[in-house]
Amino acid sequence: MNAFSLQFDFDELTIPVLGRNDSGLLLYGSAELSGDHEGFSVEAIHLAGGTTLRQAGNAEFGRPAPFADELFRRVAAVIEDDKTVPGRHAAMEWAELVERHGEAA
């Protein structure tokens, strides 16, 4: 199994709040994607201001941080969903990466 990783840059990413995308919250940064030829998942999110979010344990010493943990889940859900604009872009970049590695093999 080949493992791949990719930095996916995003800007003006919106997350749904109460099922709506018009929250006025726009996020900028990048996401670390990892996976294989089957697909990817978000491993970390680096917000433009320098904050890094991981799936869990975002507080000091790896303790839970409910808001940061939830923010990670919501941003990752948008990037991993190919029905959203950022998700389609991430999926296209991922497919190109897998294709390039396939051609090199």
Side-chain angles (χ1 to χ4, degrees), residues 39-62:
F40 66 87
S41 62
V42 176
E43 296 298 316
I45 297 166
H46 306 284
L47 298 177
T51 299
T52 296
L53 302 172
R54 302 211 179 273
Q55 190 168 15
N58 285 295
E60 286 185 36
F61 308 113

Side-chain angles (χ1 to χ4, degrees), residues 13-63:
L13 184 140
T14 60
I15 57 173
V17 176
L18 300 176
R20 297 174 51 151
N21 283 327
D22 61 356
S23 63
L25 176 68
L26 300 176
L27 299 168
Y28 299 81
S30 64
E32 291 177 26
L33 311 181
S34 67
D36 57 22
H37 67 280
E38 300 280 327
F40 66 87
S41 62
V42 176
E43 296 298 316
I45 297 166
H46 306 284
L47 298 177
T51 299
T52 296
L53 302 172
R54 302 211 179 273
Q55 190 168 15
N58 285 295
E60 286 185 36
F61 308 113
R63 291 190 303 251

Side-chain angles (χ1 to χ4, degrees), residues 8 10-14 40 78-92:
F8 172 70
F10 58 86
D11 61 351
E12 296 189 0
L13 184 140
T14 60
F40 66 87
V78 171
I79 294 169
E80 292 170 351
D81 182 356
D82 64 3
K83 291 175 182 63
T84 68
V85 172
R88 280 191 296 277
H89 289 197
M92 288 188 315

